[in-house]
Every structure is written in structure tokens, then in C-alpha cells.
Amino acid sequence: AQSVTQLGSHVSVSEGALVLLRCNYSSSVPPYLFWYVQYPNQGLQLLLKYTSAATLVKGINGFEAEFKKSETSFHLTKPSAHMSDAAEYFCAVSDRGDKIIFGKGTRLHILP
Amino acid sequence: GAGVSQSPRYKVAKRGQDVALRCDPISGHVSLFWYQQALGQGPEFLTYFQNEAQLDKSGLPSDRFFAERPEGSVSTLKIQRTQQEDSAVYLCASSLVGSRSPSNNNEQFFGPGTRLTVL
């Protein structure tokens, strides 16, 4: 069965500092992997996705994630945090590109 | 262009009432998904349509939950005899193509959700 584990329900970083949100997945087949962002009272927005084309995936708003099969990880990074990055971030997995299994989410706080 | 829209945005129901939640997908999108997001949790899959066919309903928590998409566009999620544990945000998503498509057009676009509160 597929699953996703996000380490840390809350992460705080200073504005301008590196953002690192951790995600580990479990899947019996080569997975599709996603990171979504959710702003308050808004729907989910896709940040980036991995579909086996390249292990380093670049997304919107300066975010990127690296697929590491040996570590079953798909951590999300951004070199320099901005106040507007404050939101809830969800890592997710899908084995066929349809039903998506989400992690519990990590709330990112940006400190001025 | 318009994205996925859901109505109502907020719904308060008394325990035992029936509710109907509507999803208008992006025009022309083949696939439609429903997810349930409890407070402080990630979304959980409920059910999936490809056109009017319900291909997967494995996530529906009980037989009180029923979804339909009779003409392959608008979908309705119905919850009968609501219980307090049904309180959640119900998210709808649509994608251009069906599953197993080799293209990148199976990205799911999410609506803003309907927040259901059962008293």
C-alpha cells in the first residue's frame, strides 16, 4: 500500500533562509510524487511533480525537490524563504496517476 | 478561464440531515475526484469518475456517502444522515485526461472546497 510520511507538522524558518520540508514515501511500484501548497481558505495548488523523467524537479515559486529512490525520499527545498511562502505543504504519492495519497501536511512559518 | 468551482462553500447541517455538495469541473475535463480533508489532516481520497463512470469508490467511508456524475460533467456528493465525524472540507478536483495517460495532462486541479460542519 502506498503511504507518505511528512516529518514535522510545523516548520519555522527565517525570511531569506533555506526551506527544507521532508517527505518519505512508500510505494510498491515506481510512483508519481507531488508537492502541493494550500493557502488559507484556498484549494490545493500543485508546486511540482515527479514522473520519472528527472530526479531533480523544479517547480513554481522557486521550489524544487529531489527524488532519491535509495532513501525513498522526496524532500522539498527553496534556497531563500519569502514571507509569501507561509502556507501548508502536502507531499503526495500516486501509483497510476489517478488516486492521490496525501501526507498529513507541514505548516511552514516564516519569521521576519 | 474558470477553474474548478464548488458549492456551497460552507454548509452547516444538524446531525441526521442529508446534504448535497456540488462540483463544477473545468470544462472538458474527463476525470473528477472527491477528497475529504479533516481538520489538521491531509486530504483523503473518496471516489473517482472518468466521464460518467465511477471507476473507484474505495474511499467512501460508509454507505451514507454517494457520488454521481450523470452527464460526465457536474458531480454531486451526497451524504445521508450526517454525523459529527462527517465534519470536514470536501475537495473536488478534475483532470483533463483519464488515468494511465502517458501525457502530463493528468494533473489534478482542485476547487476551493466545501466546509461541512455537522452539529
Side-chain angles (χ1 to χ4, degrees), chain A residues 1-5 23-33 71-73 91-95 101:
Chain A
Q2 296 175 292
S3 66
V4 170
T5 302
C23 172
N24 289 87
Y25 71 92
S26 171
S27 178
S28 58
V29 299
Y32 294 85
L33 292 163
E71 299 177 6
T72 60
S73 69
C91 182
V93 63
S94 175
D95 65 352
I101 308 299

Side-chain angles (χ1 to χ4, degrees), chain B residues 47-77:
Chain B
T47 185
Y48 157 54
F49 292 85
Q50 190 163 309
N51 295 307
E52 69 279 2
Q54 191 173 19
L55 298 188
D56 186 343
K57 54 181 181 179
S58 61
L60 295 176
S62 77
D63 59 7
R64 296 186 295 102
F65 286 71
F66 172 77
E68 60 184 4
R69 194 187 185 198
E71 297 179 358
S73 55
V74 171
S75 177
T76 303
L77 176 67

